[in-house]
Amino acid sequence: ILTANTTFQSMAAEAKEQVMDKKTAMKEFAAIGQKQNFAYQAKFFLNAFWKEHSKEAETIFEFTQQFVELNKKGSKGSVLDEFQAHRLLEKQGTVLTVVAMRKALKEIDVDTDNKMSLLEYCVWRYKVDIVEMMNRPQGVSKELEACEEKIQAIQADLKKVAKYKKKWDGKPAPESGPKKIIYDQDMMILTTAEKTLTQNMDFAQRKLNAAQNNKDLVAAGKTWWLNRELEEAKKYAAPKKVIKG
């Protein structure tokens, strides 16, 4: 079972030297769809077809969020079941009869596991060749790997900041007693989390800038994606402040 992202990246990076046949390509394609989360699948597709579908990047980012919303595992999910896939197609404005919907889902479900991965959906939506996709280079960048890891930490930081701000939102700061002690502890945690968030965002931005300055445009799809995630994080990094006593 392939579990490490670097396994897929190394595989794609060596594509020019070692071209995968159809059987191998389909096996690896299925493995990514079954084992890797939605964001990874989206980045994989964009890396492979950046020249052809870079203008669709924002659309892909948006429907990736829909995949996340529909799956019970959220951002950790990798596939949608038939009911969830049906809802996804409806969200995309695909109005079909039950029979036609099932036919469409059958076409999308390349590995016939009765589930729809985001990668399968992209192949169906953009009518691309799977073998060609699996043989296209993904690119490997230490800067992007470092940025990606830090963005994951940023998302955790944002949840912590939001948690403590929500806890005291609209409430006056206690002046004494046990509540004052709890409040002071929470404000310390909040201050530390905000500081860590700022540091992580600065680090991620530096690494992303370094990757973008690469003239070879290594992993162009992933570079765009991480920049988009960082922009999204910045929107939520400074919500209304808690009035501290």
Side-chain angles (χ1 to χ4, degrees):
I1 299 174
L2 299 174
T3 56
N5 289 355
T6 52
T7 300
F8 294 117
Q9 291 166 344
S10 297
M11 169 197 72
E14 297 173 358
K16 289 184 178 179
E17 289 74 22
Q18 187 175 355
V19 178
M20 282 186 282
D21 58 26
K22 184 175 181 179
K23 183 178 180 180
T24 303
M26 295 302 291
K27 181 179 179 180
E28 301 300 344
F29 171 78
I32 293 176
Q34 294 166 2
K35 302 296 182 181
Q36 298 295 332
N37 64 34
F38 297 127
Y40 181 94
Q41 295 177 47
K43 286 178 281 189
F44 190 95
F45 179 82
L46 283 171
N47 279 341
F49 292 106
W50 185 251
K51 290 183 179 180
E52 295 89 345
H53 297 296
S54 59
K55 292 182 179 179
E56 288 291 304
E58 183 63 31
T59 297
I60 293 172
F61 185 86
E62 290 174 358
F63 68 64
T64 298
Q65 310 317 308
Q66 293 178 341
F67 269 80
V68 171
E69 291 169 5
L70 288 168
N71 189 285
K72 293 180 179 179
K73 293 182 180 179
S75 60
K76 295 181 179 179
S78 58
V79 295
L80 299 182
D81 60 28
E82 184 177 347
F83 176 72
Q84 294 166 338
H86 193 151
R87 290 186 61 194
L88 185 281
L89 293 181
E90 289 180 335
K91 282 177 175 289
Q92 292 297 313
T94 306
V95 181
L96 299 170
T97 64
V98 174
V99 174
M101 183 68 74
R102 286 179 177 172
K103 182 179 179 181
L105 291 175
K106 188 175 182 180
E107 291 176 0
I108 297 171
D109 184 20
V110 177
D111 60 5
T112 64
D113 63 351
N114 296 318
K115 293 180 175 61
M116 180 175 78
S117 69
L118 187 139
L119 204 53
E120 285 178 322
Y121 177 70
C122 286
V123 167
W124 176 78
R125 178 172 178 139
Y126 297 107
K127 311 304 179 189
V128 299
D129 183 75
I130 294 175
V131 177
E132 181 181 1
M133 176 175 68
M134 298 309 297
N135 276 293
R136 286 195 176 188
Q138 285 288 307
V140 178
S141 166
K142 292 182 179 180
E143 288 80 10
L144 287 181
E145 293 301 316
C147 177
E148 186 171 39
E149 182 178 342
K150 199 59 68 174
I151 285 178
Q152 292 175 356
I154 288 169
Q155 292 168 343
D157 294 337
L158 286 171
K159 289 180 179 179
K160 181 179 287 188
V161 169
K163 174 184 175 181
Y164 286 96
K165 286 193 172 185
K166 182 179 180 180
K167 182 176 180 179
W168 294 100
D169 184 32
K171 299 178 182 178
E175 296 182 358
S176 61
K179 286 188 176 181
K180 176 67 165 61
I181 296 175
I182 294 174
Y183 176 82
D184 288 342
Q185 292 175 337
D186 286 351
M187 290 305 103
M188 287 181 63
I189 294 173
L190 178 58
T191 299
T192 300
E194 289 179 324
K195 182 178 179 181
T196 301
L197 174 61
T198 299
Q199 292 173 340
N200 285 341
M201 292 184 76
D202 288 343
F203 178 89
Q205 189 65 66
R206 289 198 302 274
K207 291 298 181 180
L208 185 58
N209 290 342
Q212 290 175 322
N213 288 333
N214 188 323
K215 295 180 181 180
D216 296 328
L217 289 177
V218 175
K222 186 174 185 176
T223 301
W224 180 93
W225 192 275
L226 294 179
N227 186 62
R228 183 67 176 78
E229 285 188 325
L230 196 54
E231 287 180 355
E232 197 71 14
K234 288 177 180 178
K235 292 179 182 179
Y236 297 96
K240 57 183 179 180
K241 297 182 178 180
V242 173
I243 299 176
K244 300 178 182 180

